[in-house]
C-alpha cells in the first residue's frame, strides 16, 4: 500500500510536513537527550526553546492557529512547555473576553511577551466541579478595586501551567462579591510578579508545585493571594460587568463557554489518536526487529510480531488509533461547521455536540491511556527503559483523563443528555443527530418485547451491519440505565440519590453510545477512500476494530440477544483471522503515521530498526556512567567493606 | 498505635490532628481494626514485632524518604547504597536476620537486592564447598553480588541466551564470551555500578558440545579499587520508568576466564577431564525463578497494591466535590457510586491476593521439602502455579494501582501523592521474572496436559481435579441474594474455567486432526490459551478467598466483613467478564442482572468500612510517603508544605536570568 499517499490524505497536510523539516533541521532546537537531564535542566531547555520559538514564529510570519500548533508540537516534540498557557489560554481569553480598552492595555504587551500570562482556574480543593472554587474577588467601591483572597488552604490555585516560575500575570477565576452578594465565577487579570525583577509582588505567594509523573518541562504552580488589590478595570468585562458603584451587569448568555470546551476536547480526541499512534509505531516496529523463542522446531527465532498473542495486543490498538484519527477530524470539522452559527448566536446544535465531545473525550483518552501502556508492555523489559520513549508518551498523555473535565464526570454529562433524549422519545417526541436511534424505541413499544431483543441479523463481515449491532447495544444500555434510574426515583425521595445509585449503569450507557459513534464514523470514512488498496486495508482495520470491541464486551451483546453464542465464537475466530491478514501491512500502517525519528524519541521505534546498537550507545551517555567508578564506591562501599 | 506516633510535625500546623472527615469514618467501623491487623500479621506477637522494626527504621534519619521525589538518578542511587550499607550496620546492632521484616519496612528503596538473589542462587544451586566458600564472603560484604541472566536480545526465553562458557581442559577454566551485541547482559540490578561479582548464565560448551544454560560466578570489578576486571565492559543502562535507585547494568565479556570450581554445581558438574555429570532434573536451574516469582507476589505486588488502596481511599473521604443533595455540604467523593466502583473492587483484590500469596507459599514450602529429598514430582505444578499466579496477580494489581492513581484526579499525578512511583514500580513486575503472556502460556500447557490426563482417568494434582468434575449445566441461583453464596459463585468460576480449558483443548485437537502442525495449532490458540490460564487462576483465587473466610469462624466480627469482600471480589469478576459466564448459558441474562444488582449493593455496604479496611494494613505515614494518604488526612496542608520544599522553589532558577529575562526584555536576539 502507498504510504506517502496515506499520510498526505489522512494525517498531515504538506505545509505541516515542511514546518516539521524547518524545525528538525534548525540547529537552535537541538539539545541533549532529555532523559538524562534533571527536572530543572528540562525546564530550562523548554524555556530556551520556547523563547526561540516565539521569535521564529514571528520571523517566519506563521499566524495560522493550526500551523502554530504544529510548529510548537515539533519544537517541543509533543511535550508540554511553559508558554503553553500563555499562548493557548491567556492570549485567546484576552481576545474573547476582554473589552477593547482592556485589549489595548494588555494584548500587545502580552503578544510581545512583556507580559507572560497563565490561566489560574483549578484550586487545590476543586477541579472539574467549578462552582466549588473558593477564591474570592470582593469589590471595594471606595477605591474602585477588587480585593483578591485565597481564604483557605483548599482555595490556593494549584496546577496551572507556567504559574510557578514563568508567568508575571495570571487570569484568575474567582467568586465575585459586590454589594454583599456573590455573583459566581468571573475572570480577573492579576499581576503576580514585578516586571523587571520577576520577584513576587507583595500579597502574592507563588511557586512550583513540585515533581510530577510527567510534565517535567512545565512549572505547574501554586498561587495564594492575601488581600491583593487590582483595579476595577482588571476584571474581564466584555460580557459581565461591575460598574464603578458596584452594580453588577449580567452577561447575555452562558452557553458561549461551551464553544471553547468543545474545541479543547476535540483537541484531546486528536491527541489521543496521536499519542496512541506513536506508541503503536514504536511497539510494532520493535516487534518486527525483536526475535524470540521458536514457533517451529529447528527454525530460527521468529519476529515476535508473528506470535498471535503479540498481534492480539497490538493490532486492535493500531485499528483504534486509526479510528480515533477519524473521530478527532470529525469533531473538529463539525465544530468549524457550526462555529459560524455560534458566532451568529445560533446555539441549537451546541448541546448535542457538547454532550458528544464530553463522552468522546473520556472514551478516547481512557482507551489511549490503557493502549499506550499495553504497547509499552508489549515491548517487554526494554519498553520500561526511558530509551523506548513510551514511558514519556504515557506520563505526558495520562493527565488528559483528568484535565479539561474528569472522565467519569464527562461520561455522566453525556449520560444526562442520553437520558434526556430517551425521556423525550418516551413522551412521543423525535430526537435528531447521533441519538436518533432512540426514536426506534417508540416504534418498538407497540410490541411487548424488550427493545433490543428484536433480532438484528448481524453479518459479521459487514461493517455496516456491525454498526447496527453497536447501535442496538447502545439502545439497550441507554434504555436499561434510564429504566433503572426511574426505578430508583420511584423508591427514593431525591433525584440526586437516584442518579448516584444509577451512575455505574449510566457510565456504561455512555460508553456504549460513544463506541457506537466511533464504529459508525470509521465505517462512514471507508466510503470516502478512492484508492482501492488503501480502502481494502482500512476496511480490515475497521472490521477488526468493531469485532474486537464485540469480543471484549460479549456480555452486552449476548445478554441483549443481539448475537448468539455461535456468532460470538465466529467473532472471536474472525478477529484472529484478521490479525493474520493485517500482519503483512502492520509496519506500513504505522509508517503511514509518518512520525519523524526525532519526534518519536524512541530507540526501539527507530525507522531503520537498528535497535540494539543504539541502545548501547544511548546507555553509555547515562548520568551514572559519567565516571568509571561511581563516587558512592569511595563514600560508602569501601568503608563498609573495611569495617565488616 | 504506631501510626499515630509517626505524625509529628511543627507546631501551629494542622498536621497530626486528624481531619474530621477521616475521624468520622473510623468511628463507624463494623469490626476491630486492631484485630484484623493482628490476623493479617498472623498473630498479635507478629504485629508487635513488625511495628518495632518499622519504628526502629523510621526513626533513623538515614532511612528518611522525605526527599526521595526530589532527587536525581545519581542522588537516588547514592542514597540507596548509603541505606543498604547503614542497614547492614543496623542489622548487626539489632541482631536482625536476613529474611526478617526490616527490608519491607524500607519499602524496597535499597541497593543490593540482587546481592540477596546472588546469595540465594548460590545456596540453592551451589555445592557444599561452593556454599562454604562464597556465602560467608557475601554475608560479610567482602564482595557484592548480582545475578546476570537477561540479555539485550533475550529475556523470558532462556534457551535463546547467547553468552557462552567454553571449558578449557588444559587450564581447567571456563572461558566466557559475549559473542555479539544482543548477547550483552542487560538489566541485572546492582551490576551497573556496585557489584564486584555476578552469577552469569551462559551456554556451556565442553568439547564442542553445547549442554545448555549453566550458572557461573564471575568477578567483574576489582576488590581493591572497584575498577573493571580485564575483559569486562560494564555500566549502567540508563534511566527507566522507576528504580532510579538501582544501577541496572550491562555486561560484556571478552575471553574472561574463571576456574572450573566457579560453575555452580549442586545439580550439574563438569569434571576435570571434561565429563559432564547431571544430578536430578535440569529444570532445577530455573528453581530460583520459581522462588522469586512466589516471593515477589507479596513484597513487590500485593503490598504496593495495599498502599495504593490506602492512599486512594483515605483521600476519597477527605476530598469533597460537588453536591449529592441540594443545600448540603459537598459530598465526599467516596460517596459517589462511580468512585466506589473504581476503588472497592481493588481493595477486595488486595485482600484476595494477600490470601493467595499465603496459599502459594504453603504449596511452595511443601514442594521445597520434597526437592530437598530429591523428589521432583511437584516441580511441574509448582512451576505452572508460580507462573500463572505471578502473571495474574501482577497484571491485575498493576491495573488496580493505575485505577487508584487516576481515581485521585489531578493530585494523584503529583509525585507527592506517592501513587506514580507505586505504579511505575509495580508495572515492572509484569515483565521481570518472566513476561506475563509467556507465563500464562506455560500454565496453559500444564492445564491442557492435566485436562488430557484427567479426561482419560489418569491421576492429576488435587488443584486441577475439577477439570474432570461434572458440574450442573445451569447456575441454580434464583434471586440476587443467591449470588452472595460462595458455593454459587465458586461453582460458576469453576464451570467457566473448566469450559475454557475444555474448549481450547478441543480446538487444539481439531486443528491437529485437520492436519495443522502441532506448533502452528498451538500458536493459533494462544489467545484462548492465555485466557483459559487466567480463568483458572481467577477461579483458584475466588475459591481460596471463600475457604479463607470459612476458616474465620472463631472471629465473627472479622469474618463478616471478609465475607463481604470475598463476595465483592467474586461478583466484580463476573460483572466485568460477563461474556464468558453468559456464553454457554450457564448464567442467564436474568441472572446476570441479579449479579449486577448484588454487586452494586455490596459497594454501598463495604463503603462504610472502607477506611477501617485500609487502616488494618497498618502502614505508617513514612512507609506510605504520600501527601494524600497519611493517617491524619491533612491532605491539602501537607501537599502545600511539601511542595514548598521542592528544589524548584529553593534554588534560583538559572532559566530566569538566562532566558526569561532576555525574553521579557527583548534582548533575546543576543543569545
Amino acid at each position: 500500500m502507498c504510504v506517502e499517499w496515506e499520510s498526505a490524505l489522512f494525517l498531515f497536510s504538506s505545509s505541516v510536513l515542511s514546518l516539521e523539516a524547518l524545525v528538525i533541521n534548525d540547529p537552535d532546537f537541538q539539545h541533549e537527550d532529555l532523559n538524562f537531564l534533571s527536572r530543572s535542566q528540562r525546564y530550562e531547555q523548554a524555556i530556551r526553546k520556547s523563547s526561540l520559538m516565539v521569535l521564529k514564529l514571528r520571523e517566519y510570519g506563521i499566524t495560522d492557529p493550526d500551523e502554530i500548533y504544529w510548529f510548537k508540537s515539533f519544537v517541543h516534540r509533543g511535550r508540554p512547555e511553559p508558554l503553553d498557557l500563555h499562548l493557548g489560554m491567556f492570549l485567546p481569553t484576552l481576545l474573547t473576553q476582554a473589552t477593547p480598552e482592556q485589549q489595548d492595555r494588555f494584548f500587545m504587551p502580552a503578544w510581545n511577551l512583556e507580559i507572560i500570562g497563565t490561566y489560574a482556574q483549578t484550586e487545590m480543593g476543586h477541579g472539574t466541579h467549578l462552582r466549588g472554587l473558593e477564591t474570592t474577588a470582593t469589590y471595594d467601591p471606595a477605591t474602585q478595586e477588587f480585593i483578591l483572597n485565597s481564604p483557605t488552604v483548599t482555595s490556593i490555585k494549584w496546577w496551572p501551567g507556567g504559574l510557578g516560575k514563568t508567568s508575571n500575570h495570571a487570569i484568575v477565576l474567582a467568586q465575585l462579591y459586590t454589594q454583599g452578594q456573590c455573583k459566581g465565577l468571573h475572570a480577573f487579570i492579576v499581576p503576580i510578579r514585578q516586571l523587571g525583577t520577576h520577584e513576587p509582588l507583595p500579597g502574592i505567594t507563588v511557586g512550583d508545585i513540585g515533581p510530577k509523573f510527567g510534565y517535567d518541562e512545565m512549572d505547574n504552580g501554586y498561587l495564594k493571594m492575601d488581600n491583593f488589590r487590582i483595579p476595577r478595570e482588571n476584571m474581564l468585562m466584555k460580557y459581565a460587568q461591575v460598574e464603578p458603584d458596584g452594580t453588577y451587569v449580567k452577561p447575555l448568555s452562558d452557553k458561549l463557554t461551551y464553544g471553547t470546551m468543545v474545541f479543547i476536547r476535540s483537541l484531546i480526541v486528536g491527541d489521543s489518536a496521536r499519542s496512541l499512534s506513536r506508541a503503536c509505531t514504536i511497539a510494532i516496529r520493535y516487534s518486527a526487529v525483536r526475535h524470540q523463542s521458536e514457533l517451529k522446531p529447528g527454525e530460527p527465532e521468529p519476529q515476535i510480531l508473528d506470535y498471535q498473542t503479540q498481534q492480539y495486543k497490538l493490532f486492535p490498538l493500531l485499528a483504534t488509533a486509526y479510528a480515533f484519527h477519524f473521530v478527532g477530524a470529525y469533531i473538529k470539522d463539525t465544530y468549524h461547521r457550526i462555529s459560524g452559527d455560534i458566532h451568529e448566536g445560533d446555539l441549537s446544535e451546541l448541546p448535542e455536540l457538547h454532550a458528544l465531545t464530553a463522552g468522546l473525550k473520556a472514551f478516547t483518552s481512557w482507551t489511549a491511556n490503557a493502549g499506550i501502556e499495553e504497547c509499552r508492555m508489549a515491548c517487554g523489559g526494554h519498553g520500561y527503559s526511558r530509551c523506548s520513549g513510551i514511558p514519556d508518551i504515557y506520563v505526558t498523555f495520562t493527565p488528559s483523563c483528568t484535565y479539561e473535565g474528569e472522565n467519569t464526570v464527562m461520561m455522566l454529562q453525556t449520560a444526562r443528555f442520553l437520558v434526556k433524549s430517551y425521556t423525550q422519545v418516551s413522551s412521543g417526541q423525535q430526537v435528531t443527530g447521533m441519538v436518533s436511534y432512540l426514536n426506534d424505541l417508540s416504534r418498538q413499544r407497540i410490541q411487548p418485547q424488550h427493545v433490543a431483543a428484536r433480532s438484528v441479523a448481524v453479518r459479521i463481515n459487514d461493517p455496516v451491519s456491525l454498526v447496527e449491532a453497536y447501535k442496538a447495544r447502545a439502545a439497550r444500555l441507554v434504555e436499561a440505565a434510564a429504566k433503572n434510574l426511574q426505578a430508583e426515583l420511584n423508591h427514593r425521595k431525591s433525584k440526586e440519590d437516584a442518579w448516584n445509585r444509577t451512575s455505574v449503569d449510566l457510565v456504561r450507557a455512555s460508553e456504549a453510545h460513544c463506541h457506537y459513534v466511533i464504529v459508525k464514523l470509521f465505517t462512514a470514512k471507508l466510503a470516502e477512500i478512492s484508492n482501492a488498496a488503501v480502502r481494502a486495508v482500512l476496511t480490515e482495520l475497521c472490521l477488526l476494530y468493531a469485532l474486537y470491541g464485540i469480543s471484549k464486551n460479549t456480555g452486552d451483546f449476548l445478554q441483549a440477544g443481539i448475537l448468539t453464542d455461535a456468532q460470538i465464537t465466529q467473532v472471536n475466530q474472525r478477529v484472529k483471522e484478521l490479525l493474520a491478514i493485517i500482519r503483512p501491512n502492520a509496519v506500513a500502517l504505522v509508517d503511514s503515521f509518518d512520525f519523524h525519528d526525532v519526534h518519536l524519541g524512541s530507540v526501539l521505534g527507530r525507522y531503520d530498526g537498528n535497535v540494539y546498537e543504539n541502545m548501547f550507545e544511548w546507555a553509555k551517555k547515562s548520568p551514572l556512567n559519567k565516571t568509571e567508578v561511581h563516587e558512592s564506591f569511595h563514600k560508602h562501599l569501601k568503608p563498609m567493606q573495611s569495617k565488616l | 498505635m504506631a501510626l499515630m506516633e509517626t505524625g509529628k510535625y511543627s507546631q501551629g500546623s494542622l498536621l497530626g490532628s486528624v481531619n474530621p472527615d477521616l475521624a468520622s469514618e473510623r468511628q463507624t467501623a463494623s469490626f476491630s481494626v486492631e484485630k484484623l491487623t493482628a490476623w493479617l500479621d498472623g498473630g498479635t506477637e507478629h504485629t508487635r514485632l513488625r511495628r518495632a522494626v518499622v519504628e526502629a527504621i523510621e526513626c533513623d534519619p538515614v532511612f528518611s524518604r522525605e526527599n526521595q521525589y526530589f532527587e536525581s538518578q545519581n542522588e537516588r542511587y547514592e542514597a540507596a547504597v548509603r541505606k543498604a550499607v547503614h542497614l547492614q550496620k543496623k542489622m548487626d546492632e539489632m541482631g536482625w536476620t536476613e529474611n526478617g521484616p526490616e527490608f519491607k519496612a524500607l519499602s524496597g528503596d535499597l541497593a543490593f537486592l540482587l546481592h540477596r538473589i546472588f546469595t540465594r542462587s548460590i545456596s540453592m544451586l551451589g555445592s557444599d564447598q561452593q556454599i562454604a566458600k562464597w556465602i560467608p564472603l557475601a554475608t560479610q560484604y567482602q564482595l557484592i553480588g548480582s545475578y546476570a541472566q537477561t540479555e539485550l536480545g533475550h529475556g523470558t526465553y532462556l534457551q535463546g541466551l547467547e553468552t557462552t562458557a567454553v571449558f578449557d581442559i588444559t587450564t581447567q577454566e571456563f572461558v566466557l564470551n559475549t559473542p555479539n551485541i544482543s548477547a550483552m547482559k542487560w538489566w541485572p540490578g546492582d551490576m551497573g555500578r556496585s557489584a564486584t561479582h555476578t552469577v552469569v548464565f551462559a551456554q556451556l560448551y565442553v568439547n564442542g558440545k553445547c549442554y545448555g544454560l549453566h550458572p557461573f560466578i564471575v568477578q567483574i570489578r576489582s576488590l581493591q579499587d572497584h575498577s573493571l576486571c580485564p575483559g569486562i565492559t560494564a555500566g549502567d543502562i540508563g534511566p527507566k520508568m522507576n528504580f532510579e535507585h538501582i544501577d541496572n547494568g550491562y555486561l560484556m565479556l571478552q575471553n574472561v576466564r574463571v576456574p572450573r570450581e566457579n560453575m555452580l554445581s549442586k545439580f550439574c558438574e563438569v569434571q576435570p577431564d571434561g565429563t559432564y555429570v547431571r544430578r536430578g532434573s535440569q529444570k532445577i536451574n530455573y528453581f530460583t525463578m520459581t522462588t522469586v516469582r512466589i516471593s515477589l507476589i507479596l513484597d513487590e505486588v500485593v503490598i504496593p497494591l495495599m498502599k495504593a488502596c490506602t492512599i486512594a481511599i483515605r483521600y476519597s473521604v477527605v476530598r469533597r466535590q460537588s453536591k449529592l443533595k441540594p443545600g448540603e455540604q459537598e459530598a465526599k467523593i467516596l460517596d459517589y457510586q462511580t468512585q466506589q466502583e473504581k476503588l472497592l473492587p481493588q481493595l477486595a483484590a488486595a485482600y484476595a491476593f494477600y490470601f493467595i500469596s499465603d496459599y502459594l507459599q504453603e504449596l511452595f514450602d511443601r514442594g521445597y521439602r520434597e526437592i530437598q529429598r530429591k523428589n521432583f514430582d511437584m516441580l511441574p505444578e509448582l512451576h505452572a502455579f508460580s507462573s500463572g499466579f505471578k502473571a495474574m496477580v501482577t497484571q491485575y494489581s498493576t491495573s488496580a494501582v493505575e485505577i487508584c492513581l487516576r481515581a485521585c484526579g489531578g493530585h494523584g499525578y503529583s509525585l507527592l501523592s506517592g501513587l506514580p512511583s507505586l505504579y511505575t514500580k509495580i508495572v515492572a513486575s509484569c515483565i521481570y521474572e518472566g513476561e506475563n503472556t509467556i507465563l500464562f502460556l506455560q500454565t496453559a500447557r500444564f492445564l491442557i496436559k492435566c485436562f488430557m490426563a484427567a479426561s482419560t482417568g489418569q491421576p492429576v494434582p488435587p488443584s486441577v481435579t475439577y477439570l474432570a468434575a461434572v458440574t450442573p449445566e445451569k447456575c441454580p441461583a434464583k434471586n440476587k441474594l443467591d449470588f452472595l453464596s460462595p458455593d454459587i459463585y465458586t461453582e460458576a468460576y469453576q464451570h467457566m474455567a473448566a469450559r475454557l480449558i475444555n474448549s481450547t483443548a478441543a480446538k487444539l485437537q481439531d486443528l491437529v486432526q485437520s492436519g495443522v502442525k502441532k506448533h502452528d495449532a498451538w500458536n493459533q490458540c494462544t489467545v484462548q490459551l492465555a485466557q483459559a490460564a487466567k480463568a483458572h487462576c481467577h477461579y483458584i483465587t475466588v475459591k481460596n478467598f471463600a475457604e479463607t473466610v470459612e476458616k474465620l469462624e472463631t472471629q465473627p466480627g472479622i469474618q463478616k466483613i471478609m465475607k463481604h469482600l470475598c463476595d465483592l471480589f467474586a461478583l466484580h469478576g463476573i460483572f466485568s467478564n460477563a461474556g464468558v459466564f453468559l456464553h454457554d448459558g450457564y448464567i442467564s441474562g436474568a441472572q446476570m442482572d441479579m449479579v449486577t444488582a448484588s454487586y452494586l449493593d455490596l459497594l454501598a455496604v463495604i463503603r462504610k468500612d472502607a477506611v477501617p479496611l485500609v487502616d488494618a494494613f497498618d502502614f505508617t505515614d513514612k512507609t506510605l510517603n504520600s501527601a494524600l494518604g497519611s493517617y491524619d488526612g491533612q491532605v491539602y496542608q501537607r501537599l502545600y508544605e511539601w511542595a514548598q520544599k521542592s528544589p524548584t522553589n529553593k534554588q534560583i532558577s538559572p532559566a530566569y536570568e538566562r532566558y526569561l529575562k532576555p525574553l521579557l526584555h527583548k534582548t533575546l536576539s543576543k543569545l
Side-chain angles (χ1 to χ4, degrees), chain A residues 35-36 39 43-44 47-48 51 55 112-114 116 124-127 129 153-154 158-159 165 168 196-198 205 207-215 222 224 290 292-293 295-297 301 306 308-309 312-313 366 369 373 376 380-382 384 386 391 394-395 399 402 406 408 496-497 500-504 508 554-555 559 565 569 573 576 612 615-616 618-619 622-625 627-628 630 632-633 635-638 640-641 644, chain B residues 69-70 73-74 77-78 81-82 85 112 140-142 144 152-155 157 181 184 186-187 193 224-226 228 235-243 250 319 321-322 324-326 330 335-338 341-342 402 406 409-411 413 415 420 423-424 427-428 431 435 437 507 519-520 523-528 575 579 582-584 589 592-593 636-637 639-640 643-644 646 648-649 653-656 658-660 664-666 668:
Chain A
N35 288 301
F36 301 134
R39 192 172 158 234
Y43 168 70
E44 190 178 332
I47 280 283
R48 183 184 71 83
S51 308
L55 293 183
N112 290 326
L113 287 126
E114 286 151 32
I116 297 177
M124 228 195 237
H126 288 90
H129 179 62
V153 177
T154 45
W158 199 268
W159 283 110
K165 298 277 135 186
N168 54 28
T197 66
H198 212 58
T205 310
D208 174 81
I209 63 162
K212 297 141 296 188
F213 208 177
Y215 275 57
Y222 56 78
K224 187 167 172 290
R290 177 99 170 161
Q292 207 74 182
S293 193
L295 268 173
K296 294 183 187 148
E301 296 181 68
D306 288 334
Q308 190 188 57
T309 45
Y312 191 70
K313 285 176 194 171
W366 265 338
N369 184 66
E373 278 296 80
R376 190 180 57 68
H382 297 329
Y384 193 75
R386 296 244 169 208
Y394 173 71
V395 297
T402 305
E406 196 279 327
T408 303
E496 290 78 7
D497 251 357
N500 186 32
R501 289 189 56 95
T502 323
S503 52
V504 169
R508 282 177 77 192
T554 49
Q559 206 182 349
D565 289 1
T569 306
Q573 186 53 33
K576 286 167 218 158
Y612 296 130
M615 274 182 81
F616 188 34
W618 182 86
S622 166
L624 273 184
N625 290 331
T627 55
E628 192 57 64
H630 197 269
S632 298
F633 173 72
K635 268 163 103 172
H636 306 292
L637 289 179
K638 211 173 159 79
M640 169 182 73
Q641 288 171 330
L644 280 168
Chain B
Y69 302 127
F70 302 138
Q73 195 195 354
N74 264 317
Y77 168 66
E78 194 197 316
V81 172
R82 191 176 62 232
V85 167
F112 310 155
Q140 297 291 311
Y141 278 88
Q142 294 307 300
I144 295 164
L152 199 41
H154 288 91
Y157 179 64
I181 191 152
M184 203 181 334
W186 199 271
W187 281 110
R193 301 275 87 183
Q224 300 312 310
D225 61 4
H226 216 62
L228 292 172
D236 173 79
I237 63 161
K240 299 140 295 190
M241 259 186 125
N242 196 329
F243 294 91
Y250 57 77
R319 179 90 172 168
Q321 208 74 183
S322 195
L324 267 174
K325 295 191 181 118
E330 289 184 70
D335 287 328
Y336 290 94
Q337 190 189 46
T338 46
E341 213 260 326
K342 285 176 195 171
E402 213 239 351
R406 280 190 284 120
H411 294 323
Y413 190 72
L415 288 194
Y423 175 67
T424 51
V427 78
I431 309 289
E435 196 275 331
T437 304
K507 172 101 183 290
H519 48 258
D520 279 334
N523 190 33
Q524 284 176 34
C525 292
T526 44
V527 167
Q528 253 176 291
F575 172 78
L582 286 165
H583 190 87
D584 62 346
M592 195 51 80
D593 286 339
Y636 299 114
Q637 188 72 26
L639 201 51
Y640 185 44
Q644 284 169 304
S646 169
T648 39
N649 290 324
S653 165
Y656 175 70
R658 267 190 230 158
Y659 304 111
L660 269 183
L664 291 162
H665 298 172
K666 293 292 138 322
L668 205 63

Side-chain angles (χ1 to χ4, degrees), chain B residues 371-395:
Chain B
I371 288 167
Q372 296 291 49
R373 282 187 242 137
K374 308 254 169 181
N375 170 10
F376 301 102
D377 291 352
M378 270 186 80
L379 259 184
E381 189 189 8
L382 212 51
H383 179 70
F385 271 58
S386 71
S387 305
F389 279 102
K390 183 270 182 184
M392 184 196 67
V393 176
T394 55
Q395 194 178 63

Side-chain angles (χ1 to χ4, degrees), chain B residues 297 352-361 389 393 540-541 544:
Chain B
I297 289 180
F353 296 151
Y354 189 77
F355 302 139
I356 206 69
S357 112
D358 267 359
Y359 168 90
L360 289 171
Q361 198 57 52
F389 279 102
V393 176
I540 300 287
T541 309
N544 180 62

Side-chain angles (χ1 to χ4, degrees), chain B residues 63-68 83 106-107 109 622-625:
Chain B
F63 293 124
S64 165
R65 291 162 66 220
E66 202 191 344
N67 290 321
Q68 174 185 314
K83 286 179 197 178
L106 284 159
S107 310
D109 214 10
K622 284 182 181 170
T623 303
L624 289 175
N625 212 19

